[in-house]
Amino acid sequence: MSILVQRRLANPDLKLPDSLHPLLRRIYCQRKIDSVEELQLGLDKLLLPAQLKGLDAATGLLQQALTEQQRVLIVSDFDADGATSCALAVLALRQFGFDWVDYIVPNRFEFGYGLTPGIVELAKAKRPDLIVTVDNGISSIDGVAAAVAAGIRVLVTDHHLPADELPAAAAIVNPNQDGCEFPSKCIAGVGVIFYVMLALRSCLRQSGWIEGGWLKQGKFKDQPAPEPNMADFLDLVALGTVADVVPLDRNNRILVDEGLKRIRAGRARPGIVALLDVAKRSAQAIGAADLGFSVGPRLNAAGRLDDMSTGIECLMTANPGVAHRLALELDGMNKDRKQIESDMREQAFQYLDEITIEEAELPAALCLCDPRWHQGVVGILASRVKDKYHRPVIAFAEVEVSGAAANEAAVIELKGSARSIKGFHIRDALDAVASRHPGLVSKFGGHAMAAGLSLDKSKFELFKQAFQEEAERLLDDELLRAKLFSDGELRPEDLSLDTAKMLAEAGPWGQEFPEPSFDGRFLLIQQRRLGDKHLKMVLSPLDAPQHTIDAIAFNLEASQWPLADSNEIELVYRLSVNEFRGNQSVQLMVERILGFS
């Protein structure tokens, strides 16, 4: 696949202080920010909860539940955002003085996503008075109806895009629902429940339940307890926000930055520390990328292969020994997930290579299905295929959804996970397909860049055709060409450890606020293979051959390997701080080898 390298364009109207390092001024001007205020982080700059639609109804429900000591059940999603949301909700409500708070996280293989009627049946056995959904629920029309019919009130907290019809919940808090004026539309599910808990604390202060920072009512009437310090939950908020790959607008960057500060200062909960430990990451030097690529996948592995309860318990425990044991279990699941993913990726790439040879070029969107594929891993597979071929991708796994009589065939449904590219809103595309072909898609939901769906196996080819037609209608050659963005070249003197540290501290970096990357040509002094797919190099800037710097490239494609006698190499790279045996050095993390000679 050809890659077009584009230099990021600077915002000429953005005026930054002269005291800022020139390189940082350049980088910030090339990000989607409109004013210097957007670079000012800190909890005092955090958006206030008041603009969230449905917040008064939500806190009213929770305050009544606390006053009457009702039974509260949290229903979570089975990914990292859901796990952190669930842990935060349970821990915070218990600190507020709720006597009975429990949770259910749907096993994706038995119940699928969200508050379904089947989950409500499980919930009824726990006799809850109030169900609170976290990171799900906005599309749970039937599940909420089943709960209401059973006499259970429902509070929906979610951030996914709503459909035309909303569930008949007692309260809904979702910044993406019509009429919500909360400015941060890309907040993660864990951010939404964090704001609900913030608002609950304010409500309890106003009602006198909390006085002078102390809980003095209910179970605490005779022995007051300190009110929850909501900043203590920011490590969970940072992890869920980064792992869910939501855009890092200013508000999300504040949440992530504050959470990272707490982790670096040794104030993270034992589960996050243990997950960092098994990932061989230093909590004192952690960045947002460590949460996204080291902690998040290990947490997600539980929901993909087994039961996310293991991940939730790891995040909630106050016992470091228990946290370490659970983190090791999650690490083992993640290793299994990697092997399953590797096999699936090989099968998908082989199939796509074959049809490319036959058809000369790929369609505008890819729909893949294989009866061998694991339902919990198709989302990662779709992401890997999308990265390689730069196409919207939906990967499906087969699922037996109901039993059959001895003389009947089993009912097979396809569970799909979709990943998209810039310029193609995947949920809107699914909505368009479902509208033009009623009954084709059983259900769907998601975001602009990721979505999930279900359909009958017999309808796969019809869906594939309809989806590809929608992609061809909206995508042109320009959008289908992969682009790699660069912040330009670096001077030889900027290829330093000090610069790498400065850039690391200038974040947090992430979705829609990308970590700085640069392009340039170098002298290739040494090259050495690491395993079958990785390359270790020693380079020198063309203008400063006396200056050497280490570089490493992971997972190279066959066309990217330099020849043995290559003398020069052109790269897109990031500056990184490499730590080895207590020593730090600067290293280039290669994103793409563009050419060599």
Side-chain angles (χ1 to χ4, degrees):
M1 178 182 64
S2 63
I3 297 282
L4 175 64
V5 177
Q6 287 189 344
R7 298 276 177 89
R8 292 189 176 97
L9 298 177
N11 178 359
D13 298 324
L14 181 61
K15 306 302 181 185
L16 297 175
D18 293 338
S19 58
L20 198 63
H21 191 286
L23 179 59
L24 286 184
R25 282 209 307 272
R26 180 176 112 197
I27 288 168
Y28 286 144
C29 284
Q30 293 169 321
R31 298 299 179 273
K32 292 181 178 180
I33 54 176
D34 298 319
S35 66
V36 66
E37 285 75 20
E38 290 191 45
L39 299 175
Q40 298 170 359
L41 307 183
L43 288 177
D44 60 321
K45 308 293 193 302
L46 201 64
L47 293 172
L48 298 177
Q51 289 177 284
L52 278 166
K53 182 180 178 180
L55 202 60
D56 289 343
T59 54
L61 281 174
L62 290 169
Q63 185 173 15
Q64 180 184 356
L66 175 58
T67 303
E68 299 176 3
Q69 280 302 344
Q70 296 176 2
R71 298 165 70 87
V72 179
L73 183 68
I74 310 299
V75 176
S76 168
D77 190 12
F78 38 63
D79 64 359
D81 189 14
T84 52
S85 301
C86 184
L88 191 156
V90 171
L91 293 172
L93 290 176
R94 287 174 180 172
Q95 287 187 31
F96 278 121
F98 284 78
D99 272 341
W100 195 95
V101 183
D102 200 357
Y103 71 89
I104 290 179
V105 54
N107 184 305
R108 72 195 305 161
F109 311 113
E110 296 179 38
F111 297 100
Y113 169 78
L115 181 64
T116 61
I119 287 298
V120 172
E121 285 301 311
L122 283 183
K124 285 161 64 174
K126 294 178 178 285
R127 297 181 292 110
D129 301 295
L130 175 65
I131 285 176
V132 179
T133 71
V134 291
D135 192 32
N136 76 96
I138 198 65
S139 60
S140 299
I141 310 296
D142 295 338
V144 171
V148 172
I152 306 169
R153 291 177 300 168
V154 180
L155 162 58
V156 169
T157 75
D158 201 353
H159 69 127
H160 294 92
L161 298 176
D164 294 336
E165 181 184 1
L166 295 180
I172 297 175
V173 182
N174 182 334
N176 288 301
Q177 64 179 313
D178 287 343
C180 184
E181 298 180 354
F182 190 72
S184 181
K185 301 299 183 183
C186 54
I187 191 170
V190 68
V192 175
I193 192 62
F194 175 76
Y195 268 94
V196 171
M197 294 297 109
L198 273 179
L200 175 61
R201 187 178 64 176
S202 295
C203 183
L204 294 177
R205 286 172 176 174
Q206 293 169 8
S207 70
W209 192 274
I210 296 175
E211 295 182 31
W214 290 84
L215 291 155
K216 294 184 177 181
Q217 301 294 328
K219 65 189 291 185
F220 301 118
K221 189 170 185 178
D222 296 325
Q223 290 185 310
E227 68 177 9
N229 179 359
M230 294 307 298
D232 288 342
F233 298 104
L234 287 170
D235 55 350
L236 289 171
V237 178
L239 173 55
T241 299
V242 173
D244 211 45
V245 204
V246 294
L248 292 191
D249 63 2
R250 184 193 189 190
N251 206 61
N252 280 339
R253 280 187 283 124
I254 292 172
L255 293 171
V256 172
D257 187 56
E258 292 295 326
L260 289 172
K261 286 177 180 176
R262 297 188 71 80
I263 296 172
R264 294 183 194 123
R267 301 178 68 181
R269 62 202 61 253
I272 291 179
V273 174
L275 286 166
L276 286 168
D277 184 55
V278 298
K280 296 181 172 55
R281 292 292 183 271
S282 169
Q284 289 69 41
I286 187 178
D290 296 299
L291 294 180
F293 294 105
S294 296
V295 180
R298 286 171 169 82
L299 192 57
N300 274 324
R304 293 189 184 283
L305 300 188
D306 190 17
D307 185 336
M308 184 48 96
S309 297
T310 305
I312 294 171
E313 291 298 324
C314 182
L315 294 176
M316 290 201 307
T317 183
N319 185 315
V322 173
H324 185 70
R325 175 178 59 79
L326 293 172
L328 287 175
E329 288 185 29
L330 293 169
D331 187 55
M333 293 180 196
N334 193 50
K335 290 175 181 175
D336 292 341
R337 186 272 304 168
K338 286 182 177 180
Q339 184 57 57
I340 293 169
E341 178 204 335
S342 177
D343 294 341
M344 290 168 57
R345 188 171 64 243
E346 183 178 343
Q347 292 156 6
F349 288 171
Q350 181 179 354
Y351 165 74
L352 289 169
D353 287 344
E354 290 173 357
I355 68 168
T356 302
I357 292 172
E358 295 174 2
E359 300 178 13
E361 62 180 27
L362 292 170
L366 301 173
C367 285
L368 308 172
C369 182
D370 192 301
R372 298 168 292 179
W373 288 352
H374 193 290
Q375 178 188 345
V377 188
V378 287
I380 301 178
L381 176 65
S383 182
R384 298 290 188 261
V385 176
K386 181 265 299 181
D387 290 344
K388 181 176 174 64
Y389 295 98
H390 196 68
R391 297 283 193 279
V393 177
I394 307 179
F396 290 93
E398 294 187 2
V399 180
E400 185 173 335
V401 294
S402 64
N407 60 343
E408 295 179 353
V411 177
I412 302 297
E413 187 176 60
L414 298 182
K415 298 283 187 179
S417 193
R419 298 294 184 269
S420 196
I421 60 175
K422 289 286 186 181
F424 189 77
H425 194 299
I426 194 74
R427 187 201 170 278
D428 285 356
L430 293 175
D431 192 17
V433 170
S435 298
R436 281 198 288 270
H437 303 271
L440 180 57
V441 181
S442 303
K443 55 186 175 181
F444 67 92
H447 303 290
M449 303 301 288
L453 69 156
S454 301
L455 56 107
D456 188 272
K457 181 182 178 181
S458 64
K459 299 177 180 178
F460 174 72
E461 290 299 333
L462 179 59
F463 172 82
K464 178 180 177 180
Q465 179 180 347
F467 181 67
Q468 289 178 346
E469 287 174 355
E470 180 67 11
E472 289 167 0
R473 188 176 70 85
L474 297 175
L475 292 170
D476 56 23
D477 290 342
E478 179 66 17
L479 290 171
L480 288 171
R481 185 172 184 186
K483 300 178 181 67
L484 199 55
F485 290 92
S486 165
D487 290 291
E489 295 187 57
L490 284 181
R491 302 173 303 171
E493 56 265 37
D494 287 330
L495 296 167
S496 68
L497 182 60
D498 287 342
T499 304
K501 289 181 176 180
M502 177 186 72
L503 294 178
E505 293 168 0
W509 310 104
Q511 187 76 2
E512 300 295 335
F513 198 75
E515 183 176 355
S517 58
F518 310 95
D519 64 274
R521 293 188 66 86
F522 295 86
L523 296 173
L524 180 55
I525 308 300
Q526 293 179 15
Q527 59 171 303
R528 175 169 60 90
R529 283 181 180 256
L530 299 178
D532 295 330
K533 297 182 179 179
H534 315 314
L535 177 65
K536 181 79 171 175
M537 295 174 284
V538 177
L539 308 175
S540 288
L542 294 180
D543 297 335
Q546 74 282 1
H547 182 156
T548 60
I549 186 169
D550 290 337
I552 190 164
F554 293 107
N555 298 312
L556 288 182
E557 298 177 8
S559 61
Q560 290 186 271
W561 286 100
L563 301 175
D565 59 352
S566 297
N567 296 313
E568 292 187 13
I569 192 165
E570 186 176 7
L571 309 169
V572 177
Y573 62 91
R574 292 176 286 109
L575 274 188
S576 172
V577 177
N578 183 40
E579 294 195 27
F580 183 68
R581 294 179 179 175
N583 296 316
Q584 291 185 331
S585 61
V586 64
Q587 179 175 250
L588 306 189
M589 300 293 291
V590 178
E591 294 187 357
R592 186 80 181 184
I593 295 177
L594 302 175
F596 43 84
S597 59

